[in-house]
Amino acid sequence: MISQEDIFAISSKKEFEKITLKVFRHQYENNKVYQAFCNHLGKSPSNVKQVNTIPFLPIQFFKSETIVSNSNQVQAIFTSSGTTGAITSQHFVSDVSIYENSYSLAFAQFYGNIQEYCVLALLPSYLERDGSSLIYMVSDLIAKSNHKDSGFYLNNLEQLANKIIELENESQNILLIGVTYALLDLIEYKKFNLKNTIVMETGGMKGKRKEIIREELHQTLCDGFGVNTIHSEYGMTELLSQAYSLGNGIFECPLWMDVLIRDTEDALQYVANGKTGGINVIDLANINSCSFIATQDLGKKYHNMTFEVLGRFDNSDIRGCNLMVY
């Protein structure tokens, strides 16, 4: 049995590969949907001995099937955003503590102690619906920051702008995390010259604005907030881990997560570093659902294990996964 302690104690590529293969065997044996998918491809623990031969479940299965790898009672169901009438994904989570540990440890890995920040969240599209895993995470980070001014802002841009200026004048470290269109609304309301604030964008335009390429978006946000770089979060309903970009759209995974880039013409083959393809995600925090997901995102991986998100396959739904289509 693989414990979450095993997953979050990973400290090397060799350990990651060893536990990844264990997780594959566990999920093949305990996840009926995933097992049927693997069997259809002629794959099983008997012939899967390397990570790059593990089958990746198409992410669309989260819309039509219950993807679970145990029989434990479900503690939470995270759902994706979607246009009216669209079928949304459902992620059945039997142990929410794994999600809490995943985002807490990842935040600490990339940003340090959450208690050093005041967390200001501008996430109106997410707050206005139920079942958002992002809202669950940010709510908990707000609580763990223990800062009296941490909190959510819906459409009250004046109050948020004043609070940012007040905290900046106090030299308080700020994490401003916002859905893209709302951050643009904020800098149209007021221009800033921030010195102590990390601006992190997550999610797309949500139909509120025209989609624009990442370079143009980030330059506009940099100019409006008076910062040198815009940070980004790459996560989705179907994952319990997030990758982070500390600037320039280059993402890095926590130690229990990785991406592989599949060939767009042959989903069972992989492309070389620097080549564009479909993003496959290994998320070992998904121990109780499926850790091997073929997303509908396009990207490139680089030799230093970082990756870039370039957009989506043409036939994909527009979803809030921090994607600006090129």
Side-chain angles (χ1 to χ4, degrees):
M1 182 64 185
I2 308 106
S3 69
Q4 61 171 303
E5 287 76 17
D6 294 329
I7 291 167
F8 296 128
I10 290 172
S11 60
S12 68
K13 184 177 179 180
K14 186 175 181 180
E15 282 182 25
F16 177 85
E17 292 176 349
K18 180 180 178 181
I19 293 180
T20 295
L21 288 169
K22 284 185 177 181
V23 169
F24 166 70
R25 290 192 291 271
H26 166 75
Q27 294 184 342
Y28 178 87
E29 293 166 359
N30 294 280
N31 186 324
K32 293 181 180 179
V33 175
Y34 184 57
Q35 184 183 94
F37 176 73
C38 291
N39 288 343
H40 179 72
L41 296 175
K43 297 289 187 178
S44 71
S46 67
N47 58 17
V48 171
K49 304 299 182 184
Q50 295 178 311
V51 170
N52 63 3
T53 61
I54 292 174
F56 283 75
L57 188 72
I59 200 167
Q60 297 94 321
F61 276 83
F62 281 84
K63 293 185 176 183
S64 59
E65 307 291 338
T66 300
I67 309 298
V68 293
S69 292
N70 62 32
S71 58
N72 297 346
Q73 184 175 350
V74 172
Q75 294 183 355
I77 302 175
F78 294 131
T79 58
S80 63
S81 58
T83 56
T84 302
I87 299 173
T88 58
S89 293
Q90 290 188 306
H91 191 176
F92 296 87
V93 180
S94 60
D95 188 349
V96 178
S97 72
I98 296 178
Y99 183 43
E100 293 170 349
N101 280 330
S102 178
Y103 62 67
S104 297
L105 291 168
F107 186 90
Q109 178 181 333
F110 292 105
Y111 294 103
N113 188 346
I114 184 62
Q115 294 187 0
E116 295 178 358
Y117 295 88
C118 177
V119 181
L120 305 178
L122 185 58
L123 299 165
S125 293
Y126 295 92
L127 275 177
E128 292 163 350
R129 68 176 183 86
D130 295 327
S132 167
S133 57
L134 178 64
I135 293 299
Y136 188 100
M137 176 182 77
V138 175
S139 296
D140 196 34
L141 292 177
I142 285 171
K144 287 177 176 173
S145 73
N146 285 330
H147 195 285
K148 63 181 178 61
D149 293 319
S150 289
F152 286 98
Y153 292 79
L154 191 54
N155 297 308
N156 40 348
L157 297 180
E158 180 180 6
Q159 182 185 358
L160 175 57
N162 290 338
K163 180 57 64 178
I164 291 171
I165 293 170
E166 175 188 330
L167 292 167
E168 278 275 333
N169 289 336
E170 296 171 357
S171 298
Q172 168 66 48
N173 292 330
I174 303 168
L175 172 64
L176 173 61
I177 181 168
V179 64
T180 305
Y181 78 84
L183 292 174
L184 290 170
D185 289 346
L186 180 58
I187 59 173
E188 286 181 0
Y189 172 77
K190 185 176 182 59
K191 294 290 189 291
F192 298 87
N193 185 23
L194 304 179
K195 304 296 184 186
N196 305 295
T197 300
I198 292 171
V199 179
M200 182 183 293
E201 56 101 355
T202 181
M205 297 300 187
K206 302 295 184 184
K208 305 285 187 180
R209 288 173 176 258
K210 180 182 177 182
E211 298 284 345
I212 57 177
I213 64 172
R214 189 195 67 240
E215 286 94 344
E216 181 182 350
L217 168 66
H218 281 202
Q219 189 58 58
T220 300
L221 292 174
C222 282
D223 293 343
F225 285 110
V227 296
N228 293 325
T229 58
I230 299 298
H231 294 224
S232 304
E233 179 250 6
Y234 179 76
M236 57 190 71
T237 299
E238 300 85 356
L239 302 178
L240 293 185
S241 299
Q242 301 78 33
Y244 289 100
S245 167
L246 277 59
N248 302 316
I250 302 299
F251 289 89
E252 186 175 350
C253 294
L255 295 170
W256 54 91
M257 179 184 181
D258 197 10
V259 301
L260 303 175
I261 307 299
R262 68 182 184 272
D263 192 314
T264 56
E265 302 298 325
D266 182 352
L268 301 181
Q269 299 297 319
Y270 295 99
V271 300
N273 288 341
K275 300 290 186 181
T276 299
I279 295 178
N280 285 357
V281 177
I282 301 173
D283 181 7
L284 299 183
N286 273 16
I287 181 68
N288 295 322
S289 54
C290 183
S291 291
F292 312 102
I293 298 175
T295 77
Q296 287 293 296
D297 304 334
L298 290 166
K300 295 179 180 180
K301 189 173 182 180
Y302 299 104
H303 69 279
N304 60 357
M305 303 295 287
T306 62
F307 70 100
E308 189 174 5
V309 182
L310 301 176
R312 300 184 62 76
F313 284 86
D314 290 342
N315 61 348
S316 303
D317 298 334
I318 297 296
R319 292 176 38 199
C321 295
N322 183 31
L323 302 173
M324 304 298 120
V325 179
Y326 280 69

